[in-house]
Short mmCIF file of all heavy atoms in Angstrom, two decimals:
data_model
loop_
_atom_site.label_atom_id
_atom_site.label_comp_id
_atom_site.label_asym_id
_atom_site.label_seq_id
_atom_site.Cartn_x
_atom_site.Cartn_y
_atom_site.Cartn_z
N ALA J 219 -11.63 90.09 -61.23
CA ALA J 219 -10.24 90.09 -61.67
C ALA J 219 -9.63 91.46 -61.39
O ALA J 219 -10.28 92.50 -61.57
CB ALA J 219 -10.16 89.74 -63.14
N ASN J 220 -8.37 91.45 -60.99
CA ASN J 220 -7.65 92.69 -60.69
C ASN J 220 -6.24 92.54 -61.24
O ASN J 220 -5.30 92.26 -60.50
CB ASN J 220 -7.65 92.94 -59.18
CG ASN J 220 -6.94 94.23 -58.80
OD1 ASN J 220 -6.47 94.97 -59.66
ND2 ASN J 220 -6.86 94.51 -57.51
N GLY J 221 -6.10 92.65 -62.56
CA GLY J 221 -4.82 92.39 -63.19
C GLY J 221 -4.46 90.91 -63.03
O GLY J 221 -5.22 90.02 -63.42
N ASP J 222 -3.31 90.67 -62.45
CA ASP J 222 -2.88 89.30 -62.17
C ASP J 222 -3.31 88.84 -60.78
O ASP J 222 -2.77 87.86 -60.26
CB ASP J 222 -1.34 89.20 -62.28
CG ASP J 222 -0.88 89.30 -63.72
OD1 ASP J 222 -1.70 89.02 -64.62
OD2 ASP J 222 0.27 89.69 -63.94
N ARG J 223 -4.27 89.54 -60.21
CA ARG J 223 -4.73 89.18 -58.88
C ARG J 223 -6.26 89.06 -58.89
O ARG J 223 -6.92 89.29 -59.91
CB ARG J 223 -4.27 90.22 -57.85
CG ARG J 223 -2.77 90.52 -57.92
CD ARG J 223 -2.31 91.32 -56.74
NE ARG J 223 -2.14 90.45 -55.57
CZ ARG J 223 -2.08 90.92 -54.32
NH1 ARG J 223 -2.23 92.21 -54.07
NH2 ARG J 223 -1.89 90.10 -53.32
N VAL J 224 -6.81 88.67 -57.75
CA VAL J 224 -8.26 88.50 -57.62
C VAL J 224 -8.74 89.30 -56.42
O VAL J 224 -8.14 89.23 -55.34
CB VAL J 224 -8.64 87.01 -57.44
CG1 VAL J 224 -10.15 86.86 -57.29
CG2 VAL J 224 -8.15 86.18 -58.62
N ASN J 225 -9.82 90.04 -56.59
CA ASN J 225 -10.48 90.71 -55.47
C ASN J 225 -11.60 89.81 -54.94
O ASN J 225 -12.42 89.33 -55.73
CB ASN J 225 -11.07 92.05 -55.89
CG ASN J 225 -10.01 93.11 -56.10
OD1 ASN J 225 -8.87 92.95 -55.67
ND2 ASN J 225 -10.37 94.20 -56.77
N VAL J 226 -11.62 89.61 -53.65
CA VAL J 226 -12.72 88.91 -53.00
C VAL J 226 -13.61 89.96 -52.38
O VAL J 226 -13.20 90.68 -51.46
CB VAL J 226 -12.19 87.93 -51.91
CG1 VAL J 226 -13.36 87.20 -51.25
CG2 VAL J 226 -11.22 86.93 -52.53
N LEU J 227 -14.83 90.07 -52.90
CA LEU J 227 -15.74 91.14 -52.49
C LEU J 227 -16.51 90.70 -51.26
O LEU J 227 -17.12 89.62 -51.23
CB LEU J 227 -16.69 91.47 -53.64
CG LEU J 227 -16.03 91.71 -55.01
CD1 LEU J 227 -17.08 91.98 -56.07
CD2 LEU J 227 -15.02 92.85 -54.93
N LEU J 228 -16.50 91.53 -50.22
CA LEU J 228 -17.13 91.22 -48.95
C LEU J 228 -18.26 92.19 -48.65
O LEU J 228 -18.20 93.36 -49.00
CB LEU J 228 -16.09 91.27 -47.81
CG LEU J 228 -14.86 90.39 -47.96
CD1 LEU J 228 -13.92 90.62 -46.79
CD2 LEU J 228 -15.24 88.93 -48.07
N LYS J 229 -19.27 91.68 -47.97
CA LYS J 229 -20.40 92.52 -47.59
C LYS J 229 -19.98 93.52 -46.51
O LYS J 229 -19.44 93.14 -45.47
CB LYS J 229 -21.54 91.63 -47.07
CG LYS J 229 -22.80 92.39 -46.70
CD LYS J 229 -23.89 91.43 -46.25
CE LYS J 229 -25.17 92.18 -45.91
NZ LYS J 229 -26.26 91.25 -45.49
N ASN J 230 -20.21 94.78 -46.78
CA ASN J 230 -19.97 95.87 -45.82
C ASN J 230 -18.51 96.01 -45.41
O ASN J 230 -18.21 96.61 -44.37
CB ASN J 230 -20.84 95.71 -44.57
CG ASN J 230 -22.32 95.72 -44.88
OD1 ASN J 230 -22.76 96.42 -45.79
ND2 ASN J 230 -23.08 94.93 -44.13
N GLU J 231 -17.59 95.45 -46.19
CA GLU J 231 -16.18 95.55 -45.85
C GLU J 231 -15.37 95.78 -47.12
O GLU J 231 -15.83 95.51 -48.23
CB GLU J 231 -15.68 94.28 -45.14
CG GLU J 231 -16.40 93.95 -43.84
CD GLU J 231 -16.09 94.92 -42.72
OE1 GLU J 231 -15.09 95.66 -42.83
OE2 GLU J 231 -16.84 94.94 -41.72
N ALA J 232 -14.13 96.26 -46.95
CA ALA J 232 -13.24 96.41 -48.09
C ALA J 232 -12.89 95.04 -48.66
O ALA J 232 -12.81 94.05 -47.91
CB ALA J 232 -11.97 97.15 -47.66
N PRO J 233 -12.65 94.93 -49.95
CA PRO J 233 -12.34 93.62 -50.54
C PRO J 233 -10.96 93.13 -50.11
O PRO J 233 -10.08 93.92 -49.74
CB PRO J 233 -12.37 93.89 -52.05
CG PRO J 233 -12.12 95.36 -52.19
CD PRO J 233 -12.73 95.99 -50.97
#
Side-chain angles (χ1 to χ4, degrees):
N220 181 1
D222 289 337
R223 308 192 79 198
V224 179
N225 286 344
V226 180
L227 310 178
L228 304 177
K229 183 178 181 179
N230 300 325
E231 300 291 343

